[in-house]
Amino acid sequence: AGFELMQLQLSDEQFKELVFLAMIGEYVRGGVLDSWGEYDPAKHNALMEYLLEQAYQAGRTDLVERFEGHLVPSDALSDAEDELMAEYNDDEFWSELSSRLGRRDFEASMTADEKREAEVKGWLPERVYEFYEKYEKEFEEYGVDRLGIIEG
């Protein structure tokens, strides 16, 4: 038994976008599940394989090709995914670094009133953004060139 929602009517561009979004989702989820030791290709790749099969049957060589007996995303689509994910990972790195360092510095400078406010509201007071922005500006101008580890 399966779940039959409806027959989807997609344009060529919409189908390409659906395949591309499935690739990105599979990349992210697969990476996380693999790091947890829970990645099961048979289970977690089933939707992607179905979409690739549909693309293959429709003659969409711009989306799919055969490689060693398996259907895989085309080189062009894989290159687009690699480019997008590299940009995303780069953006995420800088954002996370600014947030973590900003939060650390803010928490070290919190007043008693700010601590109470954070406990009551469940989030940090607005002043934390000054710390985030400090690091964002630093990284825009210098990258990690001026970061270091202070011993002891």
Side-chain angles (χ1 to χ4, degrees), residues 21-80:
L21 291 173
M23 289 172 64
I24 293 166
E26 185 178 65
Y27 174 91
V28 172
R29 181 179 64 182
V32 171
L33 291 177
D34 191 42
S35 72
W36 294 345
E38 297 177 10
Y39 183 64
D40 178 357
K43 176 181 176 184
H44 298 117
N45 294 353
L47 178 60
M48 191 72 235
E49 289 174 5
Y50 176 77
L51 291 173
L52 293 175
E53 181 62 38
Q54 296 303 306
Y56 184 76
Q57 288 178 13
R60 296 292 306 268
T61 57
D62 60 319
L63 303 179
V64 64
E65 58 192 57
R66 280 215 175 272
F67 180 75
E68 297 183 359
H70 299 281
L71 293 176
V72 296
S74 67
D75 285 344
L77 207 54
S78 293
D79 289 347

Side-chain angles (χ1 to χ4, degrees), residues 61-108:
T61 57
D62 60 319
L63 303 179
V64 64
E65 58 192 57
R66 280 215 175 272
F67 180 75
E68 297 183 359
H70 299 281
L71 293 176
V72 296
S74 67
D75 285 344
L77 207 54
S78 293
D79 289 347
E81 177 196 30
D82 290 345
E83 185 178 323
L84 183 82
M85 291 310 304
E87 185 66 32
Y88 173 81
N89 288 334
D90 189 57
D91 288 348
E92 191 61 19
F93 169 78
W94 293 113
S95 176
E96 191 67 25
L97 189 59
S98 296
S99 294
R100 288 182 187 214
L101 292 173
R103 182 181 181 120
R104 177 202 64 190
D105 292 357
F106 174 74
E107 287 176 349

Side-chain angles (χ1 to χ4, degrees), residues 103 106-107 110 117-118 122-129 132:
R103 182 181 181 120
F106 174 74
E107 287 176 349
M110 285 175 78
E117 179 183 345
W123 63 80
L124 296 175
E126 289 291 314
R127 191 171 68 88
V128 73
Y129 290 101
Y132 297 157

Side-chain angles (χ1 to χ4, degrees), residues 105-120:
D105 292 357
F106 174 74
E107 287 176 349
S109 74
M110 285 175 78
T111 66
D113 286 342
E114 287 174 328
K115 287 179 184 178
R116 277 191 297 279
E117 179 183 345
E119 288 173 10
V120 169

